Amino acid sequence: MKTIIASPHAPKAVGPYSQAVEAGGALYVSGQLPIDAASGKMDEDIEAQTRRSLTNLGHILREAGYDYSDVVKTTVLLQSIGDFAAMNSVYAEFFTSEMPARMCYEVAALPMGALVEIDAVAVK
């Protein structure tokens, strides 16, 4: 059995997918772009975009009854690996202990010209 999760505080999916799906005792959160749900806009710098992506992730986690401490795995996609240190400094504000496992890649491009996109898997 699976449950589709959608938070009104996070931006709607920009394609044919769900914000998150809960199944088998785990929550799978789709990649979160740094879009402000209210305005539909993105900030320009990597720090603000990372903060927004992780804030959007938090809205979805809370909608499903989870929080950042339940996250066991993330994937970070960066338009430029040169932004790695700046992204990490913001990421460390959200994950402060018992860090999740993580992959980080530089990619050729992200949807809507974003600098970062972050997905997650959480378990209770």
Side-chain angles (χ1 to χ4, degrees):
M1 184 168 146
K2 68 180 181 180
T3 303
I4 304 301
I5 306 298
S7 169
H9 305 292
K12 294 180 180 174
V14 297
Y17 59 90
S18 299
Q19 286 179 341
V21 175
E22 189 172 27
L27 181 70
Y28 302 90
V29 183
S30 295
Q32 291 305 297
L33 292 168
I35 300 169
D36 179 277
S39 69
K41 297 184 180 185
M42 286 189 278
D43 292 309
E44 295 192 16
D45 65 80
I46 187 62
E47 291 90 351
Q49 285 200 15
T50 301
R51 190 167 284 106
R52 176 66 65 190
S53 289
L54 289 168
T55 299
N56 290 341
L57 179 74
H59 290 313
I60 296 165
L61 290 168
R62 283 186 292 283
E63 186 72 25
Y66 293 75
D67 63 36
Y68 294 105
S69 67
D70 297 315
V71 175
V72 296
K73 171 81 169 63
T74 63
T75 304
V76 177
L77 305 177
L78 293 172
Q79 185 183 52
S80 170
I81 202 70
D83 289 334
F84 185 77
M87 176 278 298
N88 261 339
S89 68
V90 175
Y91 186 95
E93 296 171 14
F94 289 80
F95 298 104
T96 58
S97 66
E98 297 183 2
M99 310 307 180
R102 184 179 84 183
M103 299 283 294
C104 184
Y105 300 97
E106 177 181 270
V107 296
L110 289 167
M112 302 175 66
L115 302 177
V116 64
E117 182 175 5
I118 304 171
D119 77 357
V121 177
V123 296
K124 289 208 169 223

